[in-house]
Amino acid sequence: MSAALITARGLAVAFGGGPVLRDVDLEVRAGEIVTIVGPNGAGKTILLRALLGILPPARGRVTRRAGLRVGYVPQRLHIDAALPMPVRRFLSLPRRQGAAVQARVLERVGVPGIEGQPMTTLSGGQFQRVLLARALLAEPELLVMDEPTQGLDQPGTAAFYRLIAAVRAELGCGVLSVSHDLNVVMSASDRVICVNGHICCEGTPQAVLDAPEYRKLFGLGTGGALALYRHHHDHAHDHGGVAEPAALEPERVRDREVG
């Protein structure tokens, strides 16, 4: 098993004058996709910021592997419509990137040839892929994403997660993300961590789906159904790492009460 890229032990974080997280133990290893889920206000984004060193811990510690290269995709990024910033300029912030490098990374994320297009004219899906492209310029060992598919429809969300799986396979990087897309995230992750001020439950997607704590948090009682999407590897990826939509097949899972 590979050594941990980032580890938290006994982590507690305060924000806005009060405690937000307590007793958090987690780690992310190279090559695995770990997704943090939880209700609004559960402390998911605060946890990411603490792991990245943006917020100091109130207690406990965060350990990052020495020299760890991190790529970050933010939850949202506002660009003033009056600011004529083309994609090529955005990709060169804060460090200038050559045209060939930009072309390669845009092709890698499935949006080739948009270097001259203003950021404000991109579709939601294109915008998120450009944010991902910028994160990939550092060839990260750990890719951190805060709700990267917010605002995308379900097909766009599914396509983005397929792209992340392809990036993981190509770079061998660890992926740590926060997501609210419960339908898709369960099959796009190797491990899921459910947070609500502390870690309520964690494990494989199916183990978390069956956990009473998870089902109570998201109101999954008796009689409903939750659609999971299984990513089957019986297809070819294009140069941007995006599979054909048919590769994502819905599977209905009965919502049953867990004792």
Side-chain angles (χ1 to χ4, degrees):
M1 183 178 292
S2 60
L5 299 173
I6 192 166
T7 304
R9 292 288 180 260
L11 181 65
V13 186
F15 186 74
V20 177
L21 293 166
R22 68 182 190 278
D23 303 324
V24 173
D25 292 336
L26 66 77
E27 63 181 26
V28 181
R29 296 178 179 273
E32 69 171 343
I33 297 178
V34 179
T35 304
I36 300 168
V37 300
N40 290 337
K44 303 184 296 295
T45 295
I46 295 297
L47 177 54
L48 281 194
R49 291 177 180 174
L51 292 173
L52 292 172
I54 299 170
L55 291 176
R59 291 190 308 277
R61 68 183 189 275
V62 175
T63 305
R64 289 174 288 274
R65 196 175 74 184
L68 181 67
R69 297 191 305 274
V70 178
Y72 179 60
V73 178
Q75 184 180 63
R76 59 177 64 89
L77 182 66
H78 174 72
I79 295 180
D80 193 325
L83 185 65
M85 180 182 289
V87 170
R88 67 168 61 92
R89 183 178 174 193
F90 177 76
L91 292 179
S92 283
L93 297 175
R95 187 177 296 107
R96 183 174 177 81
Q97 303 291 337
V101 172
Q102 292 191 11
R104 281 197 301 272
V105 76
L106 289 173
E107 183 174 5
R108 172 189 269 176
V109 300
V111 285
I114 66 168
E115 292 89 334
Q117 192 166 334
M119 291 289 294
T120 53
T121 66
L122 300 178
S123 69
Q126 289 174 323
F127 195 95
Q128 292 307 108
R129 287 170 187 255
V130 170
L131 291 181
L132 176 61
R134 186 166 177 265
L136 294 181
L137 285 169
E139 297 289 329
E141 297 165 297
L142 177 65
L143 179 62
V144 179
M145 305 185 296
D146 189 358
E147 302 213 23
T149 60
Q150 189 175 61
L152 301 186
D153 60 15
Q154 193 170 64
T157 294
F160 189 87
Y161 280 119
R162 289 198 297 271
L163 174 57
I164 294 304
V167 167
R168 184 264 301 265
E170 179 184 346
L171 297 182
C173 61
V175 179
L176 176 64
S177 69
V178 164
S179 181
H180 65 283
D181 301 301
L182 300 181
N183 284 14
V184 177
V185 74
M186 285 300 184
S187 63
S189 308
D190 299 315
R191 189 153 50 89
V192 176
I193 298 173
C194 185
V195 171
N196 190 23
H198 65 288
I199 293 180
C200 304
C201 55
E202 65 176 305
T204 65
Q206 191 61 55
V208 170
L209 179 65
D210 287 340
E213 300 90 344
Y214 173 86
R215 302 177 74 78
K216 183 178 180 180
L217 267 181
F218 291 101
L220 301 176
T222 304
L226 182 65
L228 302 187
Y229 289 80
R230 306 296 181 188
H231 186 191
H232 299 294
H233 290 275
D234 56 356
H235 56 275
H237 290 273
D238 65 22
H239 294 299
V242 182
E244 292 300 316
L248 212 61
E249 299 175 2
E251 175 184 331
R252 302 302 294 185
V253 178
R254 288 303 303 168
D255 181 5
R256 60 192 182 282
E257 186 144 15
V258 179

